[in-house]
Amino acid sequence: MLTFDTANDLANPLPLAQALIRRPSVTPVDAGALDVLEAALEQLGFACRRYPFGEVDNLYARRGTASPCFLFAGHTDVVPPGADADWQRPPFGAEAEDGLLWGRGAADMKGAIAAMVASVQRFLDAAGEPNGSIAFLITGDEEGPAIDGTKAVLKALADEGEQFDHCLVGEPTNPNQLGDTIKSGRRGSLNCTLTVTGRQGHVAYPERAENPIPPLLTLLGRLMARKLDDGVSPFQPSNLEVTSVDVGNPTTNVIPATATARFNIRFNIAHTGDALSQWIRDEVAKSDLDFDGRVEADIHVTGEAFLTPAGAFTTLLQDCVEAETGRRPALTTGGGTSDARFIQLYAPVAEFGLVGATMHQVDEHVAISDIETLTAIYTRILTRYFQDHPA
């Protein structure tokens, strides 16, 4: 387990960011990353608890018991780096050169975790004990199925009576420069696999077969023909995207027995996962009426759309970012999903972290100056939060 010589070491985010990056914590393997973080947080006076579920380990840490409780959430797991030879520098080497920190997880999101730890140290040095509590919820399953991570820990914490007043997620929300955007909501996501099962036969004798391809194409056509919405401010329009159509038929003279298709729907707050699922099932039922076979839909809603309305909390975040960067970040809801989709069921949540231009890419890196600025932003957020106690 990594330790630091003095508490002052924690006020500098770079050594902790490097220590975290050097743990090759590719989902669901932790590789000691949470041990590193736990040691740092214990040094800051946090009471730490581990929550293992399945193959995934998770960490919850809290300093104080009073309200309000400010929760920082994130993940130490990372996506695979690919071939080491494709990287200019070792993906888990955490090399700091020419003002840049290199390595898998530098942007997404070990750099932000280190910045928040450093900001707690700076806040305590300047302000002393907070008028409330600070907590960390760090998972090892954000880049994976997201079943045994934040979602599972939040339920366990709720069963234990833990409550949070507001949450900040350290995802890399800025597309180009620090201060671009704060995520104040996310679209929901639904995945569906359609499987049409007919009866195999010779193409010259179609009456002896039941071709699954036409009903699949008809069903897909009906689903794609629906305009889901025109967008609901501040969300973009919902969209259905077909990602695969497969038959697996290597011949030219055989009608296949099955045909499958997969699609994803990214939906805004005009819809719910249940309503969209029911619409798909209704369309599947119509396909069954004129087809002597089976049409099945395997539907998984991996997150509901949500919005944290603009208000005291989001304004506080914007003010703090603007004070350190000179740019007032826009409140946005675009992009993919994050663990904020689970947290929003327990507390108002927003997301702000580093620049994500290289996340999930070969040669992932961030500017060391951005990690320092993010630390200053997070310190300012903690200071303002415990002064203002936003509703």
Side-chain angles (χ1 to χ4, degrees), residues 280-299:
I280 295 167
R281 287 191 288 268
D282 290 344
E283 292 295 339
V284 166
K286 294 175 186 177
S287 298
D288 269 338
L289 293 177
D290 301 317
F291 176 62
D292 186 17
R294 287 196 320 277
V295 183
E296 300 167 296
D298 183 21
I299 304 171

Side-chain angles (χ1 to χ4, degrees), residues 120-131:
V120 172
Q121 177 68 74
R122 295 182 190 186
F123 170 79
L124 295 174
D125 288 343
E129 289 299 318
N131 185 20

Side-chain angles (χ1 to χ4, degrees), residues 291-333:
F291 176 62
D292 186 17
R294 287 196 320 277
V295 183
E296 300 167 296
D298 183 21
I299 304 171
H300 295 278
V301 178
T302 58
E304 294 287 349
F306 75 92
L307 176 68
T308 299
F313 180 55
T314 57
T315 298
L316 183 154
L317 298 179
Q318 288 177 300
D319 289 347
C320 291
V321 173
E322 185 176 20
E324 296 294 339
T325 67
R327 291 179 289 278
R328 190 163 187 83
L331 299 178
T332 67
T333 59

Side-chain angles (χ1 to χ4, degrees), residues 242-255:
V242 177
T243 58
S244 177
V245 178
D246 297 294
V247 176
N249 185 3
T251 70
T252 59
N253 61 349
V254 174
I255 295 171

Side-chain angles (χ1 to χ4, degrees), residues 72-75 77 107-109 112-113 139 142-143 168-174 178 181-183 186 337-341 350-356 359-360 374 378:
F72 179 82
H75 61 94
D77 65 314
D108 189 14
M109 54 165 285
I113 292 173
T139 181
E142 198 275 345
E143 301 290 7
L168 178 64
V169 180
E171 288 288 346
T173 55
N174 299 282
L178 202 64
T181 58
I182 292 171
K183 298 283 187 184
R186 293 276 188 167
T337 59
S338 75
D339 278 359
R341 68 190 189 273
E351 304 171 59
F352 183 78
L354 290 164
V355 174
M359 64 178 178
H360 293 206
L374 183 64
Y378 284 169

